[in-house]
Amino acid sequence: MSTPQRIAIAGAGIAGLTTALALLQQGLKVDVFEQASQLGELGAGLQISPNGSRVLLALGLGDALQRCVSQARGKEIRMWNTGQRWKLFDLGDDCLARFGAPYWMVHRGDLHRVLLDAFEARSDRPVRLNARVVKARSTAWGVTFALNDGSEHSARALLAADGVHSVLREQLLGEDKAQFIGLLAWRGLVPVGRVSEHLRAQVGTNWVGPGAHVITYPVRAGELMNVVGIIEREGWRSESWTERGTHAELLQDFGHWHADVCELMSAIEQPFKWALLGRAPKTGWAQGHIGLMGDAAHPTLPFLAQGANMAIEDAAVMARCLALDEPTEQALARYEKLRWQRTADIVNRSRDNALRFHNPQLSDPAKAVDYVSSEWAPEKVRRRYDWMFEYDPLKVPL
């Protein structure tokens, strides 16, 4: 049974565990409730840009993460059919010099394991498994909530970090089902020893093409290459990250692309596919002693590689707000006010990037090179990304 002196968190994913660690660092006690029966290695690659990595470093996770992250030398754009390259931006030393924190590429399971290990070492209570929060009620002094087993609990605040299908989001904001946006995503992991030497380079690559794009980057200290292909598709709705596909289906979508793309996709151990869903930004995350975080608050399409970073930023700001000497409901309202515009901008600009990656001009040899050269000119790239990377959730004025 939780107590009013503790903060309860629904969800033990990246958002939930990062928030728990940030709250513990502020001297607060937490209880984490997770609906899964066990915490395993889910998902594939994540890109953690400086706005996220500076939080993880401040939480004392640097040494553990250095053993599993990949620090790519840079990012580039490549043309879908010719393979022509354009430099997107430098990473490594340049990123540290300009933003004061590294740009990491990491397997989601590796990051989650580091977060979980740190939580288990620092918390007085472990994650409670098989514990889905099914309803909650804010009271004058805190919050009461029920789990799927019928047990009732209380806490000073309840933070919903339970993902895009959050029960608490629906309770607070009403039914607003995420909408299929006409994009199918393929993903998979490639052991680098299976592909040609030139495809093992520690570089993040955005392949752009008409109606589709492909993202590749190294994870697990360079042992694996994360491969994601996004293609415009109607009539398919499954959102499961564990929907298995076949290499034949995958190559039916991308087999006409450059030989490097085909080689990487052919080497994927097991392709998975899912439908991309989107929601327009919506306010109301903080109501009384209940607050939404991460994908439960602002689900984000992956086209700026900022979904995990937004969850990590949320964690830092939420912990700072709850550590203030003010009523909890005011602290949660402050958190939403601080995070609303930032996350809405990320959601909207991620949608814009999908259109940029899939522009019809990329199918026209006479226009494609000029389009990429203009759209990813250095000054445009800096305007598009620097504002994200410069943000410091540890110092944003409260």
Side-chain angles (χ1 to χ4, degrees), residues 109-362:
D110 293 341
L111 173 58
H112 188 264
R113 172 48 59 187
V114 168
L115 294 170
L116 183 60
D117 287 348
F119 176 76
E120 290 177 341
R122 301 175 192 181
S123 177
D124 62 342
R125 294 180 182 174
V127 173
R128 178 166 173 169
L129 300 175
N130 291 308
R132 185 182 189 211
V133 178
V134 294
K135 61 181 178 179
R137 180 173 63 89
S138 192
T139 68
W141 51 262
V143 62
T144 61
F145 57 97
L147 301 182
N148 55 320
D149 63 3
S151 62
E152 294 190 354
H153 302 260
S154 60
R156 172 188 163 191
L158 174 60
L159 309 181
D162 50 347
V164 68
H165 299 299
S166 168
V167 171
L168 294 171
R169 177 189 172 95
E170 185 171 332
Q171 181 177 312
L172 265 60
L173 303 183
E175 187 173 0
D176 63 334
K177 296 294 186 184
Q179 300 299 310
F180 177 59
I181 63 168
L183 294 174
L184 167 67
W186 287 96
R187 69 172 174 86
L189 294 167
V190 176
V192 295
R194 290 187 180 180
V195 294
S196 302
E197 185 71 32
H198 72 280
L199 294 177
R200 304 176 192 178
Q202 300 295 289
V203 173
T205 302
N206 292 10
W207 292 83
V208 296
H213 72 282
V214 175
I215 306 292
T216 68
Y217 55 88
V219 297
R220 193 156 286 168
E223 294 179 8
L224 299 171
M225 193 67 68
N226 186 66
V227 180
V228 178
I230 312 288
I231 187 165
E232 295 172 7
R233 176 77 58 80
E234 292 298 335
W236 198 76
R237 295 291 188 274
S238 175
E239 199 194 4
S240 170
W241 274 56
T242 56
E243 178 89 12
R244 289 174 177 262
T246 67
H247 289 88
E249 291 176 288
L250 176 55
L251 291 174
Q252 195 168 31
D253 285 338
F254 290 98
H256 60 297
W257 280 47
H258 190 271
D260 285 354
V261 172
C262 294
E263 181 177 347
L264 283 165
M265 289 187 165
S266 297
I268 289 174
E269 293 181 304
Q270 169 60 59
F272 295 92
K273 56 184 177 179
W274 78 102
L276 293 183
L277 305 184
R279 284 192 178 103
K282 192 171 184 178
T283 57
W285 315 338
Q287 297 185 27
H289 293 78
I290 304 171
L292 306 180
M293 308 185 65
D295 283 346
H298 43 75
T300 305
L301 295 172
F303 307 132
L304 282 174
Q306 286 297 305
N309 291 291
M310 290 304 100
I312 293 168
E313 288 182 8
D314 282 355
V317 175
M318 177 66 85
R320 292 177 63 208
C321 289
L322 286 173
L324 295 173
D325 184 18
E326 66 180 7
T328 300
E329 58 268 40
Q330 290 183 25
L332 293 178
R334 182 187 299 273
Y335 151 80
E336 179 178 352
K337 183 177 180 180
L338 288 168
R339 296 295 297 153
W340 155 249
Q341 192 60 58
R342 165 79 171 173
T343 56
D345 287 345
I346 294 287
V347 170
N348 291 329
R349 295 192 192 192
S350 292
R351 283 182 176 270
D352 293 343
N353 241 18
L355 300 175
R356 189 173 290 118
F357 290 159
H358 293 191
N359 194 285
Q361 293 183 62
L362 294 165

